[in-house]
Amino acid sequence: GLQPGDRVAIMSANRWEWVICDQAALGLGLVVVPVYTNDRPDNLAWILNDSGARLLLLENAEQWTALAGVLEQLPDLARVVSIEALPFSNGRARLLADWLPDGQPALQTCDSEPDALATIVYTSGTTGRPKGVMLSHRNILWNVSAAVPCYPVGETDLFLSFLPLSHTFERTVGYYLPMACGSAIAYNREIPLLAEDLEIVRPTLMIAVPRIFERVYGRLMEKLSGEPAARQKLFHLAVRLGWQRYQYAQGRATWRPELLLQPLLDRLVGAKVRARLGGRLRFAVSGGAALAPEIAQTFIGLGVIILQGYGLTETSPVIAGNRLEDNEPASVGTPLPGVEVRLGKGDELLTRSPSVMPGYWHNPEATAAILEPDGWLHTGDRAAIDDAGHIRITGRLKEIIVLANGEKISPVDMENAICLDALFEQALVVGEGKPFLGALLVPEAKAYAVWLRDLGLDPDDPAVDESDRVQEALLARLQVLLASFPGYARVHRVAVLREPWDVASGLLTPTLKPRRKRILERYHEVVEGLYAGH
């Protein structure tokens, strides 16, 4: 009984049923509303009501149980369909296998206009209620067609899909693009099994966010620290010569005689790292946040080619990306063909193209705030563009800390530098309106316990994190990590948090970026404690 234009929500981990239902809905002129699997019930209810979803496809009993408490708040939701069995019955709920018609019914399709609404994607933003980004069929397909000529993707390629399909980055670049190119896609069982799945599936291409590479890098550095000095030197030499060889191949460096050693070092070092990623990876695309150049250079030096890209949900999503023949890891590459970019007030990056959204669902005020009448969209990111057209993102307009003395600091750059250290899983730099900078640090549990024992301290002592000894040692470590920052960008106090931030708690976005406002709210007293007496 659904009609073209009706909204259908999908809440499921990546699996082939997600794709089948998405294709079926789009083919009938329905509007797909993807929902994150671990979203809070109250937020899910808000999205379903705001979009007016008539049907919700969910995955399992766990999601159904979470939804049960808010069903009464969803008068427009006529049907809930579950891929897997449910523990109890409900008038609105059906099992997918029972709900689908028997036999082989005739295929039903609907001729949709190119500018008809295809999907509403609720942004995971770091503050406030999410906004529903409206994307048309033209928006998405134009973005795919602009990207295809820039990257050698074909029928022999195999993608491993693990970023949520509910995020536009994975949906466009890891689903619609490979479909357009005739590539195959394998679905990761779950993130804890990603390392195992990489070796089983042996993908040729992969779409990822920086946090994936940061974690692998952290484990590499942690393991390397326990190796003999000779092996450490061999590793770093392999990375350095691999990077030099890559720069030479890119036309950015001259040939040196020492590069003759690189093939041998690659067999000893790089090949082993690549084997852990399946051994067939031609390149990986990283997006969603900034990847530290040091991490990119390390992987590239080991023969794992990472191409950074940049985009927004509001642009379907790709705006720019590095290419295999022109890969500058300190940048997010050059715009896709047909995508216009320019710098506005405060060096804000603005963009215009046929993949820019028509607006936010039922939110004209928010639409007017981001989209100019002539089609230019405000990204909210500060940027620099060099003569070759490479875009370098320099920070967020709103993510600037202003100290009490007026000094301005970009906390994200400092946090990225801190998290290069395998000791730290997460970090948030604070200090808005304060006399100095502080930091909330979430250590990697095992590494932190070893570090404390090396200091002669008991990791299980509840008071150890606030001891003067730990404070002094952590600040000394941060001083080394942040040595390249200006003198006023120095952390003077830290608080250790043993509980990692995650998506389920609402402290991370689904692309694993910290929700700064929510973290500051959750740990308000901890932050204030950093400035007690000042």
Side-chain angles (χ1 to χ4, degrees):
L2 297 174
Q3 301 299 318
D6 282 349
R7 275 76 63 201
V8 174
I10 302 178
M11 181 171 65
S12 168
N14 294 11
R15 52 193 294 167
W16 64 266
E17 291 93 342
W18 204 111
V19 172
I20 294 295
C21 291
D22 179 59
Q23 289 291 315
L26 294 175
L28 292 169
L30 305 174
V31 178
V32 175
V33 182
V35 182
Y36 291 102
T37 56
N38 45 13
D39 207 347
R40 301 191 316 277
D42 64 309
N43 204 48
L44 172 62
W46 188 89
I47 289 173
L48 293 175
N49 276 330
D50 186 66
S51 64
R54 298 286 314 285
L55 181 146
L56 169 64
L57 177 86
L58 50 76
E59 187 173 22
N60 54 37
E62 183 181 350
Q63 293 171 354
W64 169 248
T65 301
L67 179 69
V70 296
L71 272 177
E72 294 181 359
Q73 304 171 29
L74 305 171
D76 295 332
L77 188 65
R79 176 75 66 219
V80 177
V81 179
S82 177
I83 297 171
E84 299 175 9
L86 297 176
F88 51 87
S89 61
N90 177 282
R92 280 192 272 184
R94 294 286 186 278
L95 184 64
L96 180 63
D98 298 335
W99 178 69
L100 291 172
D102 296 326
Q104 295 291 332
L107 178 66
Q108 299 179 48
T109 60
C110 169
D111 291 331
S112 295
E113 292 298 319
D115 292 313
L117 195 57
T119 187
I120 304 172
V121 183
Y122 283 81
T123 58
S124 57
T126 54
T127 60
R129 284 288 192 187
K131 297 185 287 288
V133 177
M134 297 188 292
L135 296 177
S136 68
H137 294 274
R138 185 195 303 274
N139 287 151
I140 296 168
L141 292 176
W142 188 92
N143 202 244
V144 169
S145 65
V148 165
C150 302
Y151 301 96
V153 180
E155 296 180 8
T156 58
D157 280 310
L158 172 60
F159 285 69
L160 178 60
S161 175
F162 57 89
L163 296 183
L165 278 166
S166 44
H167 193 277
T168 306
F169 180 35
E170 177 66 27
R171 190 170 166 196
T172 295
V173 185
Y175 160 22
Y176 296 139
L177 186 145
M179 180 175 283
C181 296
S183 305
I185 306 169
Y187 294 103
N188 164 235
R189 289 169 290 173
E190 54 180 330
I191 289 297
L193 298 175
L194 179 58
E196 187 178 319
D197 285 355
L198 280 165
E199 296 192 48
I200 294 171
V201 173
R202 302 181 65 231
T204 62
L205 297 173
M206 190 168 73
I207 310 301
V209 291
R211 194 70 193 118
I212 299 296
F213 299 111
E214 289 166 1
R215 284 174 174 165
V216 176
Y217 176 86
R219 292 191 188 103
L220 276 174
M221 295 301 106
E222 184 181 3
K223 183 180 179 182
L224 189 64
S225 65
E227 297 283 356
R231 286 195 178 183
Q232 294 188 35
K233 288 181 180 179
L234 189 70
F235 178 89
H236 292 300
L237 182 61
V239 170
R240 182 171 65 83
L241 292 186
W243 172 247
Q244 287 181 5
R245 185 184 180 94
Y246 187 77
Q247 288 291 80
Y248 170 67
Q250 292 269 308
R252 294 191 175 96
T254 57
W255 187 84
R256 301 178 183 182
E258 62 181 348
L259 291 180
L260 293 171
L261 289 172
Q262 194 273 333
L264 173 61
L265 290 170
D266 183 63
R267 285 196 296 273
L268 294 172
V269 181
K272 294 178 181 178
V273 174
R274 295 196 298 275
R276 299 294 298 273
L277 300 174
R280 297 198 307 162
L281 195 64
R282 295 200 295 115
F283 63 89
V285 176
S286 177
L291 177 66
E294 180 179 340
I295 293 179
Q297 290 175 18
T298 297
F299 279 104
I300 290 172
L302 296 170
V304 181
I305 307 305
I306 299 176
L307 304 177
Q308 277 207 86
Y310 170 76
L312 307 171
T313 302
E314 289 86 347
T315 58
S316 306
V318 186
I319 293 173
N322 278 289
R323 320 293 204 265
L324 282 175
E325 69 280 3
D326 181 19
N327 185 17
E328 176 50 73
S331 80
V332 294
T334 55
L336 294 183
V339 173
E340 298 177 80
V341 295
R342 65 179 174 87
L343 298 181
K345 184 179 179 181
D347 289 333
E348 181 186 11
L349 185 68
L350 278 66
T351 185
R352 181 169 65 179
S353 76
S355 62
V356 169
M357 67 168 186
Y360 294 115
W361 176 257
H362 292 168
N363 199 335
E365 296 83 6
T367 300
I370 193 174
L371 196 59
E372 300 286 351
D374 58 1
W376 285 98
L377 182 132
H378 292 255
T379 67
D381 288 313
R382 296 178 186 270
I385 305 174
D386 66 19
D387 293 339
H390 297 108
I391 301 169
R392 187 167 58 87
I393 304 300
T394 58
R396 290 286 296 171
L397 286 179
K398 296 181 180 179
E399 286 184 358
I400 298 293
I401 290 175
V402 182
L403 293 173
N405 62 5
E407 297 286 5
K408 296 180 176 65
I409 297 106
S410 171
V412 176
D413 295 337
M414 296 181 69
E415 290 153 7
N416 289 339
I418 292 169
C419 289
L420 286 177
D421 189 327
L423 181 63
F424 304 113
E425 181 76 13
Q426 295 160 327
L428 195 83
V429 174
V430 300
E432 178 66 30
K434 303 294 186 182
F436 56 82
L437 294 177
L440 304 180
L441 303 175
V442 180
E444 199 286 319
K446 292 181 180 178
Y448 187 57
V450 171
W451 182 76
L452 287 174
R453 290 191 188 99
D454 289 343
L455 288 176
L457 300 171
D458 179 7
D460 298 322
D461 180 358
V464 71
D465 296 338
E466 298 178 15
S467 67
D468 291 341
R469 182 89 179 277
V470 168
Q471 281 280 325
E472 291 168 5
L474 287 174
L475 289 173
R477 196 166 181 128
L478 292 189
Q479 190 168 353
V480 174
L481 294 171
L482 302 174
S484 62
F485 288 82
Y488 55 82
R490 180 181 174 185
V491 174
H492 289 265
R493 293 288 305 278
V494 299
V496 176
L497 307 175
R498 297 284 187 115
E499 183 180 356
W501 310 325
D502 56 26
V503 178
S505 66
L507 300 182
L508 292 184
T509 70
T511 51
L512 308 183
K513 289 181 285 191
R515 294 184 189 267
R516 188 171 299 275
K517 183 179 179 181
R518 290 189 185 178
I519 293 171
L520 291 175
E521 289 173 351
R522 173 77 62 89
Y523 296 102
H524 174 74
E525 292 184 6
V526 175
V527 172
E528 290 303 310
L530 295 177
Y531 300 97
H534 293 276

